[in-house]
Amino acid sequence: MNCPHAAREDASNGPVLVVDPLVKDLDGETARLRDAGPLARIELLGVPALTVTRHSLARQLLVDPRLVKDIDVWDLWQRGEVTHDWPLIGMIDAGRSMFTVDGAEHRRLRTKTSQALTPRRLEEIRPEIEKFTEELLDALAEHGERSEDGVVDLKSVFAQPLPMRVVGMLMGVDEAEHPMLMKRYKAFFSMLTPQEERLALLAELDVFYTDLVREKTARPTDDLTSALILAEEGGEPLTEEEVVGNLKAMVAAGHETTIGLILNAVRALLTHPDQLRKVLDGEIPWETVIEETLRWDTPTTHLLMRFATEDIQVGDDVIPKGEGVVISYRAIGRDTEQHGADADAFDVTRPTPIRHMTFGHGPHICPGAALSRVEAGIALPALFERFPALRAAVPDEEISKLPVMTQNDMAAFPVLLHG
C-alpha cells in the first residue's frame, strides 16, 4: 500500500479509503471516513469492505438480522480470495463463541456471561477493583521514585495491568499468567507481527485456554470460566470449544477496551486543563468524563465484521449479499449529525446524557461495558487524587499509537507524577 491515507478510485465501486495499518494519523483518517458518507468503501490490508460511519445508520444495521457474524456468508471467504494468510482473519474466524454466532445460539452462549456481570455482581467486586487500583498506584509511585528523571509509563505500570487483573480474577486466570497473556495479545493485534507468527500465537492461546477449561472442569472454582462450564442454558451445556471461545474473547476484550478508556481519558484531561480543573473541583462528575471520552476517543476504532445474507437497501446505496461490513466506532463518535458541529472537540460540559454507542448496540452489545465503566470510574479519580499534579512528560504530538487497526491504543504514555 503505497499511499495508506489516500482515496483511490475504483471504477466499479467509487472512491475507496485505504485504512492505514500503522495508524499514523488517526484523527485525519476518522475525518476522512466521516466525510465519505454514512456507508463508505474501505480497504483493509488489500481486502475491500463497507464501513458504517454514522450513529443513526449503525443503530439501524446493528439490529438488522440480515447482517450476521457467520464468516461462511462472506463472499470473499467463500471464493477463497480471503484466507488465513490475511492478517486480520483471527479477529473474524475466531472459533465458536458468543462473538461469532447470532440468534438463539448467541443468546445461549451469552446468557451466563451476562449473568456474571450484573450491576449487583459488579458492586460485589468493587472492593477488589479498589484494592488492585491502590496497589498499582503504589507501584506507580515507586517507579516514579526510582526513575532518574521522574518519568513513568502510565500504561505499562497502571492502565494495562489493572483491567488484566480484574478480568483475570473474574475468569479465574492466575495472575502469574498475566504478563504472558498481555504480551501475546499485543503481538496478535499488532500489524507488525508476521502472519505466520500471529497464527502460532493463536494456537498457543488456544492451548492455554483449553488447558484452563479442562482444569476448571476437573476442579471448578468461583469464577466465570467454571460457571460457563457448568451452565446448562436451554438444557444444553456449552461445549469445550464454546467455553474456550468465550473465555479467549472475553479476556482480550475485557482488558484492551479498558486500557484505552483510562489512557484516553487521562490524555484528554491533561490536554484540556480548564476542563480537568472543573472535574477536580467537583463541577463535572467523573461519569461525564468517561462518557465523553468514550464518544470522542473510542477504545475501539473499527469492529470487524458482519456479513449480508441478502441485498440490504440503505438509502440510495445497497449492501450486496455476501459483503463484509465494518462498524467504524471512532467515526461514529465524531458524527456531527448526532453530536453537533463541535463533535471533534473534547468537551465535558456538553449537554448530558452523551448518547454514544461505543460499546455497540443490539444483541451483540459489549457484555463487559458496565465493567469497563466501573473500572474507569474507580481508577481515574483515584489516580488524580493520589497525583493531582500529574502531567504528560512529552508533548502530546509525540505520543504514538500502536500499529493496531481495530484498537485505539497508545504505545506508551510517559508522565510526571508530581508535575
Side-chain angles (χ1 to χ4, degrees):
M1 299 178 190
N2 297 323
C3 189
H5 290 310
R8 66 171 175 80
E9 288 295 324
D10 184 301
S12 59
N13 298 316
V16 177
L17 289 168
V18 182
V19 178
D20 179 14
L22 300 182
V23 198
K24 293 187 291 291
D25 179 18
L26 185 56
D27 284 345
E29 182 174 274
T30 297
R32 283 185 288 276
L33 285 168
R34 181 184 59 193
D35 293 346
L39 195 64
R41 284 214 159 268
I42 60 172
E43 184 179 284
L44 301 167
L45 300 177
V47 172
L50 290 169
T51 192
V52 182
T53 69
R54 295 290 191 276
H55 183 100
S56 59
L57 182 57
R59 282 184 66 87
Q60 171 189 330
L61 291 176
L62 287 172
V63 295
D64 193 320
R66 296 172 296 177
L67 277 179
V68 300
K69 292 289 194 114
D70 184 359
I71 191 174
D72 290 330
V73 174
W74 195 11
D75 58 353
L76 297 179
W77 180 256
Q78 292 173 354
R79 297 198 300 265
E81 295 178 32
V82 172
T83 68
H84 283 101
D85 291 333
W86 188 49
L88 297 174
I89 195 63
M91 299 179 195
I92 302 172
D93 187 28
R96 185 174 173 79
S97 76
M98 62 180 170
F99 297 92
T100 59
V101 298
D102 298 281
E105 280 298 276
H106 170 256
R107 290 190 292 273
R108 182 178 73 87
L109 294 176
R110 181 184 173 103
T111 297
K112 202 66 181 182
T113 301
S114 300
Q115 290 174 350
L117 297 173
T118 61
R120 179 177 177 179
R121 175 60 175 151
L122 294 181
E123 283 306 305
E124 289 174 353
I125 66 171
R126 178 179 287 272
E128 288 296 312
I129 301 175
E130 292 171 343
K131 174 175 171 287
F132 293 155
T133 299
E134 288 303 314
E135 290 174 354
L136 291 170
L137 289 174
D138 290 342
L140 201 60
E142 291 173 9
H143 276 74
E145 291 169 1
R146 292 200 304 267
S147 170
E148 290 185 6
D149 55 5
V151 175
V152 59
D153 179 15
L154 187 66
K155 177 181 178 178
S156 63
V157 183
F158 182 69
Q160 183 169 272
L162 176 60
M164 179 55 83
R165 280 195 187 185
V166 174
V167 76
M169 173 191 68
L170 283 170
M171 307 303 288
V173 178
D174 193 292
E175 191 170 333
E177 305 289 357
H178 294 180
M180 176 274 293
L181 289 173
M182 288 189 289
K183 180 179 179 181
R184 278 164 172 72
Y185 279 118
K186 178 181 178 181
F188 166 71
F189 285 114
S190 174
M191 291 297 97
L192 299 180
T193 302
Q195 181 62 357
E196 193 173 305
E197 182 180 331
R198 183 179 288 107
L199 293 174
L201 286 170
L202 285 174
E204 291 171 9
L205 287 170
D206 280 340
V207 170
F208 172 79
Y209 286 119
T210 299
D211 288 346
L212 177 61
V213 169
R214 289 175 181 173
E215 177 187 330
K216 298 291 183 181
T217 301
R219 291 175 292 278
T221 53
D222 183 22
D223 54 58
L224 182 51
T225 302
S226 299
L228 290 172
I229 293 166
L230 299 172
E232 294 190 7
E233 304 302 331
E236 184 181 351
L238 276 63
T239 66
E240 180 178 271
E241 178 194 2
E242 290 167 343
V243 176
V244 168
N246 274 3
L247 177 59
K248 183 169 57 175
M250 280 294 294
V251 173
H255 82 280
E256 285 288 341
T257 299
T258 309
I259 294 169
L261 172 54
I262 293 171
L263 292 178
N264 294 344
V266 174
R267 183 181 188 181
L269 290 171
L270 294 184
T271 52
H272 296 80
D274 54 332
Q275 297 188 48
L276 173 59
R277 179 45 51 197
K278 290 179 184 293
V279 175
L280 297 182
D281 287 346
E283 296 178 36
I284 302 293
W286 283 102
E287 177 185 357
T288 301
V289 174
I290 290 167
E291 297 310 312
E292 176 66 352
T293 301
L294 286 168
R295 178 201 73 80
W296 182 69
D297 205 9
T298 56
T300 300
T301 48
H302 309 289
L303 189 66
L304 314 182
M305 190 181 286
R306 287 172 168 78
F307 310 102
T309 58
E310 60 181 78
D311 287 355
I312 302 173
Q313 190 75 38
V314 178
D316 295 331
D317 297 318
V318 173
I319 302 174
K321 179 181 178 181
E323 185 82 50
V325 178
V326 174
I327 310 297
S328 288
Y329 281 111
R330 200 169 192 274
I332 290 167
R334 304 286 184 98
D335 180 3
T336 54
E337 295 175 8
Q338 173 68 19
H339 302 292
D342 65 343
D344 283 328
F346 176 80
D347 183 5
V348 296
T349 68
R350 71 176 61 247
T352 55
I354 301 165
R355 300 192 182 280
H356 62 80
M357 57 190 318
T358 294
F359 287 115
H361 178 65
H364 282 280
I365 190 169
C366 176
L371 174 62
S372 188
R373 286 183 167 106
V374 168
E375 290 178 66
I378 291 171
L380 290 169
L383 174 66
F384 280 97
E385 182 178 353
R386 179 79 73 95
F387 306 110
L390 179 76
R391 69 177 176 86
V394 298
D396 188 68
E397 59 271 17
E398 292 184 15
I399 297 174
S400 61
K401 298 289 186 182
L402 285 176
V404 177
M405 297 182 74
T406 55
Q407 309 300 124
N408 179 9
D409 195 0
M410 302 176 198
F413 193 180
V415 298
L416 291 163
L417 301 177
H418 303 291

